[in-house]
Amino acid sequence: AQSVTQLGSHVSVSEGALVLLRCNYSSSVPPYLFWYVQYPNQGLQLLLKYTTGATLVKGINGFEAEFKKSETSFHLTKPSAHMSDAAEYFCAVNPSNTGNQFYFGTGTSLTVIP
Amino acid sequence: DAGITQSPRHKVTETGTPVTLRCHQTENHRYMYWYRQDPGHGLRLIHYSYGVKDTDKGEVSDGYSVSRSKTEDFLLTLESATSSQTSVYFCAISEGRDSPGANVLTFGAGSRLTVL
């Protein structure tokens, strides 16, 4: 069975502080991994993705994530939070053996404190 | 929204009435998906399609049916709406794992459904 766990449904950081959003997955095969962001009353936008190759991937708006196979993790980070980063963040996996299904975590709401 | 249109964007209906949500894409992507988004649950897959007339169930398919008669259109039908189906519904598309775009899932803007 596939599952995605996002630790912490709500995370608050001060403006300028490090952002760390955690994602762990279970998959019997190496999956593609994604982070999406959702601003209020909008659809989901792709932040970054990992498919193969370099395990540290960079995305939009200064975000990056590192795929750690041994830890089955794909944590999202940003060195310095900005007010505009306040949003809901979703981790997703796309295993290769599930008919191209995507599985999402329950999301982490990021609040940035001025 | 990258060539994906959902309609209607907002709908209020009564328990027991049928409801159809439409997703239209102009990207010619093979895969289309319907998700529902609820607080505390994230996004849950209802149904998806891997080609014209080819569909399969997701994890929360009870009470929903889908149809895909053309590549560009994917319809989600609630035969008899219930209050538990009040949610925000998102359509998404992807090219598939063999695509140069690395199988990114692209979302529509969402359809907010309220069942009274």
Side-chain angles (χ1 to χ4, degrees):
Chain A
Q2 325 293 336
S3 69
V4 181
T5 302
Q6 291 184 238
L7 287 177
S9 57
H10 298 275
V11 171
S12 294
V13 300
S14 298
E15 190 173 17
L18 171 72
V19 176
L20 170 61
L21 304 182
R22 299 178 187 274
C23 174
N24 288 86
Y25 68 90
S26 67
S27 176
S28 57
V29 297
Y32 289 178
L33 297 159
F34 305 84
W35 275 99
Y36 284 84
V37 60
Q38 185 181 32
Y39 299 103
N41 299 313
Q42 295 187 23
L44 281 76
Q45 304 172 29
L46 180 70
L47 264 183
L48 48 79
K49 63 182 184 287
Y50 169 80
T51 54
T52 58
T55 57
L56 181 63
V57 293
K58 297 183 185 299
I60 62 173
N61 301 336
F63 284 93
E64 61 183 38
E66 185 172 11
F67 168 55
K68 292 186 176 181
K69 184 178 178 181
S70 61
E71 299 177 6
T72 60
S73 68
F74 191 57
H75 301 331
L76 181 71
T77 60
K78 182 175 180 178
S80 176
H82 191 273
M83 294 299 294
S84 61
D85 294 328
E88 187 93 15
Y89 292 80
F90 293 94
C91 180
V93 301
N94 169 229
S96 61
N97 60 346
T98 60
N100 208 43
Q101 292 192 42
F102 291 74
Y103 299 87
F104 284 81
T106 53
T108 297
S109 178
L110 177 67
T111 299
V112 181
I113 304 166
Chain B
D1 289 315
I4 309 173
T5 305
Q6 291 186 230
S7 60
R9 293 290 315 279
H10 301 271
K11 185 171 183 66
V12 179
T13 190
E14 294 187 351
T15 298
T17 61
V19 175
T20 295
L21 305 181
R22 179 179 183 245
C23 178
H24 178 79
Q25 61 146 329
T26 57
E27 306 295 318
N28 199 36
H29 284 2
R30 176 184 175 189
Y31 294 89
M32 299 186 74
Y33 307 79
W34 277 108
Y35 288 89
R36 60 178 290 174
Q37 184 178 25
D38 305 287
H41 291 278
L43 279 88
R44 292 180 291 176
L45 181 66
I46 305 171
H47 283 278
Y48 72 104
S49 170
Y50 48 97
V52 173
K53 290 186 170 56
D54 292 324
T55 65
D56 206 349
K57 295 179 179 180
E59 60 182 308
V60 291
S61 59
D62 287 348
Y64 302 93
S65 61
V66 291
S67 66
R68 191 172 180 194
S69 59
K70 299 184 289 185
T71 298
E72 57 266 36
D73 289 326
F74 193 34
L75 304 180
L76 176 70
T77 298
L78 292 65
E79 300 290 347
S80 177
T82 67
S83 58
S84 65
Q85 293 176 311
T86 292
S87 187
V88 180
Y89 292 85
F90 285 99
C91 176
I93 63 175
S94 74
E95 294 180 272
R97 267 177 163 253
D98 296 332
S99 69
N103 209 25
V104 170
L105 197 62
T106 304
F107 285 85
S111 296
R112 184 175 295 275
L113 175 67
T114 302
V115 183
L116 301 176

